Amino acid sequence: MSFSSDTKKEIVEKREKAEHCRIAFLSGILSSAGYLKENSINIRIEKDYIQKYVERSLKDFLRIRFKDEENLSLDIFIRDGVISVSNPETVRKLITSLKLSCEDGRLVPNRVNFQKDCCKRAFFKAVFLAAGSVTDPEKGYHLEIAFADKEMAVFLCEILSRFEINFKIIQRRNEYIAYLKDSDDIVNCLSIVCASSAMMKYENVRIYKELVNSVNRGVNCDTANLNRIAVAAANEIDDIRLIESEKGLDSLPDSLREIADLRLENPYISLKELGELINPPIGKSGVNHRLRRIKLLADDIRNSKL
């Protein structure tokens, strides 16, 4: 299983609850992977678990939206990797409800569906599931989404500019690729789609790489010792990030919250240097004691998920 597939599997565990977010999500799916042909909507998505997720999302949305109508025939099914909506009335209702417009078979989203930040997040989640991929951070930093036309790639860039994420666009054969190579932007994208596990892995690998690079630049440093510090610091940050994502750092006692904040702000320094930043300063053993308490709390969270 690839890192990209693991990320998408994590994303589909959370379903949109508010109707406006459902509309934004389905608008993203249909505009990035759907097309209109002979009064039917066809949605081509590669992974079967995403196909089933989208099929269920379509049926749930239509049943909720038109629950007062009798004998509503949805005619939504999956065949040969394509989700089809074949009932002309269902197609009409879906296009109308999502405020989509049709241009030469393409389904074009309406900006009115993306006024709220939560809706922008739902839209990005949809296009990433339908047409996106992200590289394992151990191999490199790269996230991309492929579109059939340049207008949709530009539209995505405009939607996500609210989150200060700067995509670049290139043409590759018959597709337009919106891509990122900056690790900060990629981490922000993973945060937007609530892929907390993938985000933590990215953070950990990135911090470890930065720490190792710092070691290599230090000509007068003891390489083995600094590598040990790098690995230890990465593990400490992993524990802190896990607590932050699951319970929030405000759940920690003041002494642990203080050391957690300092470690996140100073991932490269030793325990001794970390202790000197505390007011009043504490020794290396005192810092180590607090970080061990944080590790125990993080281990409790991990064990509760087994």
Side-chain angles (χ1 to χ4, degrees):
M1 188 69 66
S2 69
F3 179 80
S4 191
S5 292
D6 287 342
T7 301
K8 290 184 178 183
K9 283 195 170 184
E10 182 180 4
I11 293 171
V12 298
E13 291 176 357
K14 303 177 181 70
R15 194 176 296 275
E16 290 64 42
K17 296 180 180 179
E19 183 178 17
H20 49 81
C21 289
R22 291 172 183 258
I23 290 173
F25 174 79
L26 292 175
S27 294
I29 289 290
L30 268 65
S31 58
S32 60
Y35 56 94
L36 189 65
K37 183 178 181 181
E38 297 177 355
N39 296 321
S40 294
I41 292 176
N42 299 299
I43 307 166
R44 186 174 296 279
I45 295 177
E46 181 180 351
K47 301 295 183 180
D48 58 349
Y49 61 89
I50 302 177
Q51 294 167 14
K52 293 174 183 177
Y53 180 82
V54 172
E55 179 193 33
R56 180 62 181 271
S57 297
L58 283 166
K59 289 180 177 179
D60 288 348
F61 172 74
L62 288 165
R63 285 169 179 154
I64 292 170
R65 197 71 187 271
F66 304 105
K67 62 184 177 181
D68 296 330
E69 298 190 16
E70 296 181 358
N71 302 319
L72 177 63
S73 177
L74 298 180
D75 286 346
I76 299 174
F77 55 90
I78 301 172
R79 180 180 298 160
D80 298 328
V82 176
I83 306 166
S84 294
V85 186
S86 60
N87 185 294
E89 181 64 14
T90 303
V91 170
R92 184 189 68 78
K93 288 179 181 295
L94 190 58
I95 291 175
T96 301
S97 299
L98 300 180
K99 300 181 177 64
L100 298 171
S101 56
C102 302
E103 298 179 5
D104 299 325
R106 294 189 303 111
L107 297 167
V108 181
N110 192 318
R111 293 179 184 276
V112 73
N113 290 334
F114 313 107
Q115 301 302 310
K116 300 180 179 215
D117 284 354
C118 57
C119 295
K120 293 180 174 69
R121 293 172 184 271
F123 173 78
F124 178 63
K125 171 183 174 180
V127 298
F128 179 74
L129 286 174
S133 64
V134 59
T135 302
D136 190 319
E138 294 182 359
K139 299 178 181 178
Y141 302 140
H142 187 85
L143 182 148
E144 69 174 46
I145 301 174
F147 295 101
D149 58 271
K150 187 174 182 179
E151 288 75 14
M152 270 299 297
V154 172
F155 185 80
L156 172 70
C157 295
E158 293 174 354
I159 289 291
L160 291 189
S161 64
R162 160 70 181 82
F163 302 103
E164 299 182 352
I165 296 174
N166 301 308
F167 277 92
K168 294 181 180 179
I169 299 173
I170 59 169
Q171 185 174 3
R172 184 191 297 158
R173 294 184 291 276
N174 296 324
E175 295 180 321
Y176 289 88
I177 310 298
Y179 72 93
L180 298 170
K181 286 188 174 294
D182 182 84
S183 58
D184 284 330
D185 283 339
I186 295 174
V187 167
N188 286 341
C189 283
L190 296 175
S191 174
I192 286 173
V193 295
C194 298
S196 58
S197 294
M199 182 179 68
M200 282 194 292
K201 178 174 180 180
Y202 236 87
E203 288 278 35
N204 292 340
V205 172
R206 181 175 62 164
I207 290 169
Y208 180 76
K209 284 183 177 181
E210 289 175 354
L211 290 170
V212 170
N213 288 337
S214 177
V215 167
N216 292 334
R217 288 192 297 266
V219 293
N220 295 321
C221 293
D222 183 340
T223 302
N225 184 54
L226 286 181
N227 271 326
R228 179 183 57 77
I229 292 174
V231 173
N235 290 335
E236 290 156 7
I237 291 172
D238 184 15
D239 292 335
I240 294 167
R241 290 294 188 196
L242 177 61
I243 294 171
E244 183 180 37
S245 66
E246 295 293 329
K247 295 186 176 182
L249 295 184
D250 288 336
S251 65
L252 295 173
D254 291 344
S255 61
L256 300 189
R257 172 64 189 269
E258 182 181 27
I259 201 69
D261 288 338
L262 286 172
R263 175 47 91 195
L264 292 178
E265 293 168 3
N266 303 275
Y268 311 112
I269 65 177
S270 66
L271 298 187
K272 180 177 181 295
E273 293 168 321
L274 207 58
E276 291 171 353
L277 296 177
I278 296 174
N279 188 17
I282 63 174
K284 177 180 176 181
S285 62
V287 173
N288 193 39
H289 175 71
R290 294 185 185 185
L291 290 172
R292 281 204 306 269
R293 290 175 61 193
I294 288 175
K295 176 174 173 50
L296 290 174
L297 294 173
D299 287 342
D300 286 342
I301 294 174
R302 293 186 183 98
N303 293 333
S304 68
K305 292 183 175 183
L306 296 179

